[in-house]
Each structure stands twice: as structure tokens, then as C-alpha cells.
Amino acid sequence: MSADLCWLIIRNNHAYLAKKRNVKKPFSTEPMNLKNVNSPRYNGLIHNKMLGIEPAPGGKGVVLSFKARKYQTKPSKNLIKTTIKSGPRRALHSIRKFIKGNRYRKDLKMAALRRASAIFRSQKAQPFKKIRRRPRGTKAVKKTE
Amino acid sequence: MATMCARPMVSVHVDGAPSGASVALPAVFRAPIRPDVVNFVHDQMSKNARQPYAVSADAGHQTSAESWGTGRAVARIPRVRGGGTHRSGQGAFGNMCRGGRMFAPTKIWRRWHRRINVNQKRYAMCSAIAASSSPALVMSKGHLIQETPEIPLVVTDKVQEISTTKEAVMMLKKNKIWSDILKVYKSKRFRAGKGKMRNRRRIQRRGPLIIYNKDQGLTRAFRNIPGVDTICVNKLNLLKLAPGGHVGRFCIWTESAFRKLNSLYGTWQKKSTMKRNYNLPMPKMTNTDLARLLKSREILAVVRDPKKTIERRKVRLNPLRNRQAMQHLNPYAKVARAAALAKEQKDIEVKNAILAEKKAKREAAEAAKAPAKKKQATKKAPAKK
């Protein structure tokens, strides 16, 4: 079934559709959606070439998953995942090279890079903030003495 | 891309791995998918299992009430006759009265069932089967098929002989279908609303549908597994293939059931042998891939060249206020302006000259008066210096 036909069937009604109050454009929670937005371009189910970027399970790095051109009817073999453990700059570069080099969904390039940067930003170590606390209990009593 | 002619080979699976045998995809799977037809037919079909409900026929009329008429300082509603009880004199019969009959009492001869044209039913069926062969549509329905070996999933006929639930579970696990059933387990919950008190307390998600040719123990083995439905290929049911009126249920076919589909529904080349005078529906578009169409030779031949130049918004400058804009429109403006400026300068000089003359004259006149007033002249002299 072509992607266009599938989109027309599921555009208003599918398991991953998330409509929220006061939000005009519905969200979509399927795993291969780069923007989590319900739109034919970003939908992660209907195309035969799809791109997904998720945080790596270790908490460091990013997993680039894409749909192989072969095995379109074999879901178990279709999805190929590669973990990119290098730092943010290198990782973004390799994602960019992958998309450009293979001409794989060039229209998703910016969305993929932005998603990857967002993941890396969340994985950055938070600077240690010293919290100043008023001494309480016995320590407070001690201080007054 | 699903054209009417492209029909790949589907391999038969045993224990999660291809067994070596393969079947050409039956033509039904390339039938046009019409969710509108499916929805309509499903809607009508689901009304056919309804049981009538109605209020008792004489409810509210088992009194001999009569209106008291006017002149008694009461409303004119029929009132119960007699005395000696609370009920006497109370209003009766109306829908607004306590103990009266309801408005439009429900009747059992309401039209509960719907008939659907046979061709429509078959069209919906073909659409539902076709949709079940698209991984995109099955995943969109919510089935977890990320690990299943192939869609459509065809298993050996050995599955029909499974007689214990244990074996059934093993078969589901080996073919990587179990995650869909785990989802059913997780979705078990109580119904929201009054259905709870009406014997519809629990609800759960739908799981895979197993379609077999000959039941040799299969239905009993699979019936206790939540979410799993089993159905014979000769008696395919749209309510099971498109639950909720939405296409894309996860279907598992046994090999003989799969092979029967061509004789059940026909291929476009050949009529169906099991249904009288039936052949698959004709699609409005054989090639639905818009991107492919737009790049095809036939369309590119008649389409004009793409406009690649980008015309950006031009800022419009007011020539009356912007000198360069005026210059662009009227090159003489510069000359005219220069001339005007030159003239203005000249006029100023002339005016200054006249003023200077006048001043000189005035001072000369006053100087002439000066000898008459000597003190003033001496006073003026230091001022002049």
C-alpha cells in the first residue's frame, strides 16, 4: 500500500494519535516519528524509508534507527538500529553524513539533527549547584549558643 | 507499491522461521482498501446481533383515570378514581405524571436488524483482508508486530492440530506474536459507565486473529488466551477482521486457509469459484503512490518546467522621500534639484546683497544725522570698534 493511501486511511484515526486540549495539530507517539507530530511527512509507520532517533539505553549517546529498503513486509528484519556513542558534534556529523550520503529522507535531515541535539542536551551533566541551607534542629541550637 | 499485478511470494512459517514452502500472495490482498465501505458495513452488521428491549406494553395504563374537567381548581390531567388510598386523585396516564406512561414507549417491533447488499459485504471483506497485509495499517491499529517474521503471517497447517493451550502459547511465542497478547493483558480494565452493572464489566484490547481451514483442536486451544480470536476461512466475519469498523487487524493464516483465498474471492483474471458470480472489486486507481506518479514519464511529458527562481518580496521605497528611488524613476530629478539648489543659493546671495545695500543706506542716513547729535556720535564710535 502506498504511503499516500495509508495516510488517508489513518490520518484521523490510529493507535498513536494524541489530541490534546487547545492544541490544533495533534501529536503522534509512534517510535519512528522525529517530531512526534501527526503529519504525513513525519509519520513513522507509512513510508518505506523511515528514520528514528532515540536516546541510547545507557544514558549516553543516541540510537539511529532506519528502515531497510529490503524486507518491507518483514517487520522483524526491516528495522536497523545503530548506536552512536560519540560526542554530540561527531554524532550530529555522522547523522548528517548518513542522511546526505545515502540520500535517505533528506527532508528529515533538520528534524533528525534537532532531535539528536535535544537528546544530547538532556544527557549533558548538570552543573553541581551548591544549595545553601539554614541549619535546623540541634545544629540551629548550637549556633545560637 | 501495490499494483494489481505485483504479487510476491509469501513464505510459510513454522516456529518463527520460514519452513521452505511459499505461497503466491492471493489477489484479495491487492483489493482496494475502502475504509468508508468497511465502516458502513460494520455499522450495519453490528446491529444484527441486538436483542430487542422495550417497556411493558400496558405500563402506565393500568388505571381507569379520568379528568375532573374544569371548575375544580386543579389541573385537567386525568386523575385516578375512587378513594381511601393515596393514589386516588393523583394524575395518571401522562408522561409528566408520577406512575404514568413514558413518552413514546419503546416497542419491540423497532427495526433492530439491517440488511446489507451482498456485494457491499464482500467489498468490505476484501478491503479488510487487503488492509491486514499492510504492516503500516496493522501497526497503526496498535498491534505490536515489530518482531513478527512476515506480514501477512502464514503458518503451517500443524497449527490447526494444536490441542492444548500450552502448545498454543508456545506457538505464539515462537512466532513472535506474544507481545501483542501481552498488550492485551495490560489493557484489561473495568468499563467506564453503567455497563459495569449490566454484565459488561470488563473490557480488554483485541489481539491477533487466527484464520484456519479445518479445526482440529485449534479453537479450543486458543480460546483461553486473552485477545485471540479464531475463525474459519469459509466464514470470515467483518466484525472480527475490522473490529470497531477500522481496518488493519493482525491476522495469522494457516497455509490451507491462505491458499483458499483465491478460490473464495477470485483473482481479477479468474472469477471466484466458491461464491457465485463474484470477482474482486475494481479499484479507482491501480497505482496510488503519488510520488511515483508525479515522476512517471507520462505525467512529466505534459507538465511544464518547474519554476526554480525564487521571487522574494521587494521593499518599496517612496520616491518622494527617498532620493535614489526618485533618481531611478526620473533621472532628470537630480538635474532639476541641483538647478533648484543653485537657484536658491543665488537668490539668497541676491537677497543678502539687497539687504546689505539697505543696511548701508540706513547707516549712511544715520551718519548724516550724527553731526546734529555729537554725544551720540562719540558714543557710537567706541561701539563701532
Side-chain angles (χ1 to χ4, degrees):
Chain A
M1 317 300 130
S2 73
D4 304 291
L5 179 63
C6 284
W7 173 250
L8 286 174
I9 294 172
I10 67 168
R11 55 173 277 271
N12 235 346
N13 187 331
H14 61 273
Y16 300 97
L17 190 61
K19 291 189 176 176
K20 299 287 176 189
R21 262 182 278 217
N22 297 326
V23 177
K24 282 279 159 109
K25 185 104 187 187
F27 295 113
S28 189
T29 51
E30 74 260 10
M32 295 278 270
N33 190 324
L34 284 175
K35 276 190 167 184
N36 287 351
V37 144
N38 191 42
S39 129
R41 191 186 289 279
Y42 294 105
N43 186 293
L45 299 168
I46 54 178
H47 298 281
N48 58 354
K49 282 188 189 175
M50 295 178 318
L51 208 56
I53 295 196
E54 299 296 321
K60 278 275 167 191
V62 129
V63 176
L64 170 72
S65 45
F66 61 97
K67 216 174 168 196
R69 215 168 142 244
K70 237 180 161 182
Y71 306 129
Q72 291 290 332
T73 53
K74 301 189 167 65
S76 59
K77 288 192 190 165
N78 210 347
L79 205 63
I80 300 178
K81 290 191 178 174
T82 51
T83 317
I84 305 177
K85 283 186 227 117
S86 46
R89 252 180 241 261
R90 244 185 214 280
L92 288 180
H93 188 70
S94 45
I95 293 170
R96 200 181 284 120
K97 247 187 22 174
F98 171 80
I99 294 174
K100 266 201 179 163
N102 296 320
R103 286 177 189 99
Y104 198 93
R105 294 297 297 275
K106 288 196 295 190
D107 58 332
L108 297 184
K109 184 185 77 162
M110 268 334 274
L113 294 176
R114 278 179 189 263
R115 194 180 174 89
S117 328
I119 293 171
F120 279 115
R121 200 183 304 129
S122 74
Q123 289 174 343
K124 248 189 345 197
Q126 297 299 322
F128 176 69
K129 287 183 184 160
K130 213 169 182 186
I131 305 166
R132 289 181 59 214
R133 273 220 175 84
R134 281 237 181 90
R136 288 162 192 224
T138 48
K139 286 190 183 164
V141 174
K142 269 189 189 166
K143 247 210 158 175
T144 49
E145 284 170 7
Chain B
M1 265 67 65
T3 56
M4 273 158 74
C5 18
R7 298 227 311 262
M9 298 298 280
V10 179
S11 42
V12 178
H13 291 265
V14 66
D15 289 346
S19 70
S22 60
V23 190
L25 191 75
V28 211
F29 289 99
R30 292 286 180 252
I33 302 179
R34 292 269 250 115
D36 55 333
V37 175
V38 172
N39 200 15
F40 171 74
V41 174
H42 176 93
D43 209 32
Q44 305 285 72
M45 259 190 201
S46 58
K47 293 178 181 170
N48 290 341
R50 297 198 289 184
Q51 287 185 342
Y53 62 85
V55 176
S56 171
D58 47 4
H61 279 282
Q62 298 187 68
T63 42
S64 60
E66 201 161 324
S67 173
W68 288 354
T70 51
R72 296 255 239 135
V74 290
R76 290 176 280 171
I77 188 86
R79 290 174 186 278
V80 176
R81 305 188 120 175
T85 173
H86 273 296
R87 183 73 176 131
S88 42
Q90 283 182 345
F93 291 153
N95 52 317
M96 59 283 210
C97 299
R98 180 178 181 278
R101 145 216 32 82
M102 65 182 270
F103 164 71
T106 48
K107 300 289 180 201
I108 54 167
W109 57 79
R110 178 192 298 215
R111 194 168 67 106
W112 302 100
H113 306 98
R114 297 286 182 277
R115 49 171 299 279
I116 312 143
N117 297 343
V118 172
N119 205 25
Q120 275 185 332
K121 286 193 271 196
R122 289 174 179 168
Y123 201 124
M125 211 49 231
C126 291
S127 283
I129 295 172
S132 76
S133 76
S134 158
L137 291 176
V138 178
M139 283 201 256
S140 296
K141 195 143 208 287
H143 293 284
L144 295 180
I145 52 165
Q146 274 77 0
E147 279 160 39
T148 52
E150 189 167 359
I151 301 282
L153 186 59
V154 183
V155 289
T156 51
D157 282 344
K158 275 279 177 182
V159 170
Q160 290 171 169
E161 291 166 21
I162 291 180
S163 53
T164 62
T165 311
K166 218 178 197 139
E167 281 174 56
V169 170
M170 239 178 35
M171 172 262 176
L172 292 172
K173 285 193 170 165
K174 287 219 171 115
N175 284 304
K176 303 290 197 311
I177 304 165
W178 192 247
S179 36
D180 206 23
I181 291 166
L182 282 177
K183 194 171 183 197
V184 175
Y185 272 111
K186 278 199 207 138
S187 72
K188 285 190 170 186
R189 60 202 183 280
F190 283 151
R191 189 184 291 266
K194 287 259 167 28
K196 281 197 286 304
M197 346 167 163
R198 295 182 183 175
N199 306 328
R200 285 170 252 135
R201 201 164 175 87
R202 294 152 148 262
I203 48 173
Q204 68 192 25
R205 212 185 168 284
R206 294 247 156 244
L209 176 67
I210 301 186
I211 305 169
Y212 60 87
N213 185 27
K214 192 167 175 197
D215 178 16
Q216 291 160 310
L218 172 124
T219 38
R220 282 198 283 188
F222 282 94
R223 74 183 173 194
N224 205 22
I225 303 174
V228 175
D229 285 322
T230 53
I231 206 175
C232 177
V233 83
N234 294 319
K235 298 186 186 158
L236 288 173
N237 186 353
L238 186 72
L239 301 173
K240 294 246 156 78
L241 261 144
H246 302 129
V247 294
R249 184 155 191 196
F250 179 24
C251 297
I252 302 160
W253 304 82
T254 59
E255 191 184 341
S256 40
F258 204 63
R259 283 186 196 276
K260 239 187 180 172
L261 284 174
N262 266 339
S263 49
L264 263 172
Y265 290 100
T267 71
W268 283 283
Q269 257 80 326
K270 222 168 51 132
K271 267 200 320 210
S272 148
T273 46
M274 292 173 72
K275 295 190 199 296
R276 209 179 324 155
N277 216 12
Y278 183 69
N279 205 336
L280 286 170
M282 296 299 263
K284 279 255 185 277
M285 274 176 100
T286 49
N287 185 9
T288 53
D289 192 352
L290 193 62
R292 207 79 192 279
L293 283 171
L294 291 175
K295 292 180 199 155
S296 69
R297 190 179 32 91
E298 294 93 331
I299 288 182
L300 284 180
V302 281
V303 143
R304 65 155 168 76
D305 285 329
K307 287 182 182 164
K308 296 278 178 157
T309 55
I310 303 173
E311 285 185 29
R312 296 200 190 274
R313 178 176 168 270
K314 286 203 182 108
V315 181
R316 184 189 157 263
L317 298 168
N318 185 0
L320 296 174
R321 295 165 119 238
N322 184 302
R323 215 169 296 166
Q324 290 214 350
M326 182 54 130
Q327 173 81 9
H328 190 249
L329 290 171
N330 176 16
Y332 184 69
K334 188 174 185 183
V335 172
R337 185 176 158 76
L341 279 175
K343 181 170 182 292
E344 191 184 340
Q345 267 313 106
K346 213 171 162 205
D347 285 347
I348 291 172
E349 283 171 17
V350 166
K351 179 177 166 190
N352 282 340
I354 292 172
L355 283 176
E357 249 191 71
K358 282 193 177 167
K359 193 174 178 189
K361 272 189 188 168
R362 197 174 19 166
E363 283 172 3
E366 282 183 6
K369 283 188 192 168
K373 299 166 187 176
K374 264 191 185 174
K375 277 187 182 177
Q376 281 173 0
T378 50
K379 261 192 187 177
K380 271 189 184 174
K384 271 186 188 172
K385 280 179 186 173

